[in-house]
Amino acid sequence: DEPCLYANFVSTLDGVVAIPTAPNSNDFIAGDSDADRFVMGLLRAFADVVLIGAGVLRASPRGTWRPEKIYPPATDDYAELRHGLGIPEAPEIAVVTGSGSIDPDHPLFATGALVLTSAMGADRLEGRLPSVSSSSRSSGSSTRSHGSSCCSLASPWARPSGPGSTARAPAW
């Protein structure tokens, strides 16, 4: 199978996804729609990796980005889908941060997550992530585009050798 990348955004009819001056504007825009949450859970249930940015992590102090958490009524269906596809019980969660400015005590890291960061970010996080989580750093400049890292998640470099360890990645 070829690698596949998909994105999901909830927006208003005119394309607005966030209102910078309104706290938690995503709640207002999404309208707490069961249908939207079901689709988001379904996409996560199909995913090998759910990729989020550091800002999303900070805005969701209890978020886990697991399919069953976004739409609990479909928990059994999501699990059956993943089992039928022959993929692990839960998708891996990857957090992108150039600076490493994330809270290592966020609940996501207690269950295991991959942090994709720059050399500076990896240095900042060294020894601060729980042992079930790990970081992978770029060997390039932190000012370059991180777009290529999305496609590289399936590569061996993205999976450090041990819990809490840091791997060296190709330049972004």
Side-chain angles (χ1 to χ4, degrees):
D1 292 330
E2 289 294 316
C4 177
L5 176 68
Y6 52 87
N8 181 47
F9 292 93
V10 175
S11 72
T12 62
L13 289 174
D14 58 353
V16 174
V17 297
I19 304 168
T21 58
N24 300 319
S25 64
N26 59 320
D27 292 338
F28 169 73
I29 291 170
D32 201 29
S33 165
D34 282 345
D36 285 342
R37 289 194 342 266
F38 170 77
V39 170
M40 188 175 296
L42 185 61
L43 292 172
R44 291 175 183 179
F46 270 108
D48 292 319
V49 179
V50 174
L51 181 68
I52 63 168
V56 170
L57 182 77
R58 284 189 289 275
S60 304
R62 294 182 311 275
T64 64
W65 295 273
R66 307 278 187 220
E68 69 279 4
K69 297 296 185 183
I70 192 71
Y71 191 69
T75 296
D76 292 341
D77 297 320
Y78 296 148
E80 184 179 336
L81 172 66
R82 292 188 68 80
H83 178 74
L85 292 171
I87 56 180
E89 186 176 310
E92 185 165 3
I93 310 300
V95 181
V96 178
T97 171
S99 66
S101 294
I102 56 174
D103 179 4
D105 294 323
H106 190 287
L108 173 66
F109 299 117
T111 60
L114 176 64
V115 177
L116 302 174
T117 190
S118 64
M120 177 185 74
D123 290 344
R124 177 183 238 164
L125 291 169
E126 189 69 38
R128 296 183 60 217
L129 291 173
S131 63
V132 295
S133 291
S134 57
S135 67
S136 179
R137 75 172 136 208
S138 166
S139 59
S141 165
S142 63
T143 60
R144 293 179 59 197
S145 168
H146 297 146
S148 63
S149 65
C150 297
C151 299
S152 300
L153 287 172
S155 301
W157 70 263
R159 306 275 187 309
S161 58
S165 64
T166 301
R168 200 141 178 88
W172 289 341

